[in-house]
Amino acid sequence: MLSNIRIVLVQTFHPGNIGQAARAMKTMGLTDLVLVTPRRFPDHEADRLAAGAEDVVADARVVDTLSEAVSDCVQVVGASARLRSQPLPHYDEPDVMAQTLVELAAEDPVALVFGRERFGLTNDEIQCCSHQVSIPANPDYGILNLSQAVQVLAYEVFRAWRQRPDSGYQTPRPSTGPLPTRQQLDYFHAHLSRVMHASGFLTQPHARTEQQLQALFNRAQPNRKELSLLRGLLNSLEESL
Amino acid sequence: MLSNIRIVLVQTFHPGNIGQAARAMKTMGLTDLVLVTPRRFPDHEADRLAAGAEDVVADARVVDTLSEAVSDCVQVVGASARLRSQPLPHYDEPDVMAQTLVELAAEDPVALVFGRERFGLTNDEIQCCSHQVSIPANPDYGILNLSQAVQVLAYEVFRAWRQRPDSGYQTPRPSTGPLPTRQQLDYFHAHLSRVMHASGFLTQPHARTEQQLQALFNRAQPNRKELSLLRGLLNSLEESL
């Protein structure tokens, strides 16, 4: 599915941007890079800035026209900051664009096209596209660096993909350690209560204060080890009082 | 609100990354940059790669410790690819993190902290944070370039901000031009129907075909000018037939 999503860079001026774009792609699971008449390629700067994504750079295809680059694609989205007078269907939101592309990519190749650093895509190149997308940005300064734009849209594509039930993507989560039972937590709260009374902090049962502290500790979600630590602290306090 | 969202870069090695990070920030409406003991700063590379965001670089504060950088913040989110053994509350999803930060930033300063290019944040620095966030990425190659990580999280922050009803952000949309009325569209479909019959394509009224074409043109949402063009074409065809 992600292998069906092609990134096309048109007439990239700085080879370093090709390298950084390749790295951005690879971090988001994309591997199909096509370059339309890049100014200088292959180039040492592209490899240097690829930083672990040299395979994406090495496998990049170079073609002479955008039309060649996307002829087999069923949807071609041009990333463009400029609004055109002959508007293509336009995605306001990159996440909506990404969901559509990922859906289509289950069956057929699709492409995301990026233009030149300074000049973007020409009107003729926009005509090779079926859709247009903009990255919503600061109205006073809204042009992202080329490889940054690739990173943001690749991020949205990866997000759309991993949120699908069929992606099998597992979010790495820090392990919490085993959690205490409700009974162990009750013992802890009773212990805390005794210490609060013994210290003179509470002179009589004070349901509200006790509930507030229980809520706080519930939010903290102590694991068993942490609860042990807290019980140990309460023991020491009790002995000293 | 966005001015209350601080980006903190800890011990950045390459001044170019500072410049690119400043550019990424500015495209997403962020301006508060703090640098904790950057290796080389100020530096020509930082200004060169800031490309229009030199003001963000020029206004950046330099401090000696992360603690100093975030002491006034009510939430400090450490961007970290590594899961730690003493886990902080962890945001799996950058968009959830962004919504929370933007909400808090209505009232108080908050911070997003990024570590060194190679080594990220130390465990001590993580202790200066209240939360941690990861950018979900390719499990086989998941470390984004520093300024790319800043771009992605700044993009999410800007998105959370502009989706709020109080942001006043207007999505620039291409102008469609005035749209035709239902009656004008009915005239068009009747005209199309006459031409289809006159050409012999339809030999008798064929409701299904006509409905399919009507649906197609409805999807295209022709504006008045485009409808005019189509009517003109139909006129020419009618005259030739």
Side-chain angles (χ1 to χ4, degrees):
Chain A
M1 199 180 277
L2 287 180
S3 58
N4 255 344
I5 301 180
R6 183 173 308 159
I7 300 294
V8 181
L9 305 184
V10 178
Q11 283 212 320
T12 309
F13 192 87
H14 296 292
N17 278 333
I18 295 174
Q20 290 194 305
R23 180 177 181 177
M25 284 172 63
K26 192 169 179 178
T27 60
M28 296 293 149
L30 303 177
T31 49
D32 184 5
L33 175 60
V34 176
L35 307 171
V36 181
T37 57
R39 186 181 63 105
R40 274 190 8 216
F41 187 81
D43 187 276
H44 177 252
E45 274 301 274
D47 296 320
R48 187 176 75 81
L49 285 161
E54 295 94 345
D55 53 338
V56 175
V57 175
D59 293 342
R61 279 191 296 137
V62 178
V63 296
D64 291 329
T65 63
L66 178 53
S67 182
E68 259 181 273
V70 301
S71 57
D72 60 338
C73 295
V74 301
Q75 185 164 126
V76 179
V77 183
S80 181
R82 290 194 291 136
L83 299 173
R84 312 279 170 155
S85 53
Q86 300 290 346
L88 288 178
H90 185 258
Y91 290 107
D92 287 341
E93 289 294 341
D95 61 354
V96 174
M97 180 274 303
Q99 279 158 29
T100 307
L101 276 192
V102 167
E103 184 77 44
L104 293 171
E107 301 289 325
D108 299 289
V110 295
L112 254 174
V113 181
F114 297 83
R116 301 154 190 78
E117 289 92 328
R118 279 181 186 252
F119 308 115
L121 296 167
T122 64
N123 281 331
D124 283 351
E125 286 156 355
I126 283 284
Q127 291 300 110
C128 287
C129 302
S130 61
H131 292 74
Q132 199 171 314
V133 71
S134 308
I135 297 173
N138 180 352
D140 297 329
Y141 183 77
I143 314 290
L144 277 67
N145 162 269
L146 172 61
S147 61
Q148 304 274 43
V150 173
Q151 181 75 76
V152 168
L153 295 184
Y155 163 80
E156 284 287 18
V157 163
F158 189 69
R159 193 157 75 100
W161 171 78
R162 60 185 175 76
Q163 287 177 346
R164 290 169 65 94
D166 58 5
S167 75
Y169 178 82
Q170 301 270 28
T171 309
R173 286 199 174 84
S175 65
T176 53
L179 294 172
T181 61
R182 298 311 299 165
Q183 188 172 69
Q184 287 169 321
L185 284 165
D186 288 344
Y187 285 156
F188 165 71
H189 285 294
H191 198 173
L192 176 60
S193 189
R194 285 199 308 274
V195 171
M196 289 200 282
H197 281 91
S199 72
F201 179 65
L202 294 177
T203 48
Q204 52 196 320
H206 202 286
R208 187 135 193 275
T209 304
E210 306 208 25
Q211 278 165 23
Q212 281 181 326
L213 284 171
Q214 279 179 35
L216 178 76
F217 282 106
N218 277 337
R219 276 205 321 275
Q221 278 194 293
N223 60 30
R224 279 190 200 178
K225 203 168 128 200
E226 290 162 340
L227 206 66
S228 246
L229 268 168
L230 291 169
R231 295 292 302 269
L233 171 61
L234 290 174
N235 278 334
S236 298
L237 289 167
E238 257 186 331
E239 279 163 35
S240 312
L241 291 164
Chain B
M1 197 179 282
L2 288 179
S3 57
N4 254 344
I5 301 179
R6 183 173 308 160
I7 301 294
V8 182
L9 305 183
V10 178
Q11 284 213 319
T12 309
F13 191 86
H14 296 292
N17 279 333
I18 295 175
Q20 290 194 305
R23 179 178 184 176
M25 284 172 64
K26 192 170 179 178
T27 59
M28 296 295 149
L30 302 177
T31 50
D32 184 3
L33 175 60
V34 176
L35 307 171
V36 181
T37 58
R39 186 182 63 105
R40 275 187 10 213
F41 187 82
D43 187 276
H44 176 252
E45 274 300 275
D47 296 319
R48 185 175 78 80
L49 286 160
E54 294 94 344
D55 53 338
V56 176
V57 175
D59 294 343
R61 279 191 295 137
V62 179
V63 296
D64 291 328
T65 64
L66 177 53
S67 182
E68 258 182 271
V70 302
S71 57
D72 59 338
C73 295
V74 301
Q75 186 166 124
V76 180
V77 182
S80 180
R82 289 196 294 135
L83 298 173
R84 312 278 170 156
S85 54
Q86 301 289 346
L88 288 178
H90 184 259
Y91 290 107
D92 287 340
E93 289 294 339
D95 61 354
V96 174
M97 179 274 304
Q99 279 157 29
T100 307
L101 274 193
V102 167
E103 184 76 46
L104 294 170
E107 301 289 328
D108 299 288
V110 295
L112 254 174
V113 181
F114 298 83
R116 302 153 190 78
E117 290 92 328
R118 279 184 188 252
F119 308 116
L121 297 167
T122 64
N123 281 331
D124 282 352
E125 287 156 355
I126 283 283
Q127 292 298 108
C128 286
C129 302
S130 60
H131 293 71
Q132 199 172 312
V133 72
S134 307
I135 297 173
N138 180 354
D140 298 328
Y141 182 77
I143 314 288
L144 277 66
N145 161 270
L146 171 61
S147 62
Q148 305 275 42
V150 173
Q151 181 75 76
V152 168
L153 296 184
Y155 163 79
E156 284 286 18
V157 162
F158 188 70
R159 192 157 77 99
W161 171 77
R162 59 187 175 75
Q163 288 178 343
R164 291 169 65 96
D166 57 5
S167 75
Y169 179 81
Q170 301 272 25
T171 308
R173 284 199 176 85
S175 64
T176 51
L179 293 173
T181 61
R182 298 311 299 168
Q183 186 172 70
Q184 287 169 322
L185 284 165
D186 287 344
Y187 285 155
F188 165 71
H189 285 294
H191 198 175
L192 176 62
S193 191
R194 285 198 308 274
V195 171
M196 287 200 284
H197 282 92
S199 71
F201 179 65
L202 294 176
T203 47
Q204 53 194 327
H206 200 285
R208 190 140 188 272
T209 304
E210 305 209 31
Q211 277 166 22
Q212 281 182 325
L213 283 173
Q214 280 179 32
L216 179 75
F217 282 106
N218 277 336
R219 277 204 322 274
Q221 279 195 290
N223 61 30
R224 282 192 197 176
K225 202 168 129 195
E226 290 163 340
L227 205 67
S228 246
L229 268 169
L230 291 168
R231 295 294 299 270
L233 171 63
L234 291 173
N235 278 333
S236 299
L237 288 167
E238 258 187 331
E239 278 162 33
S240 310
L241 289 165

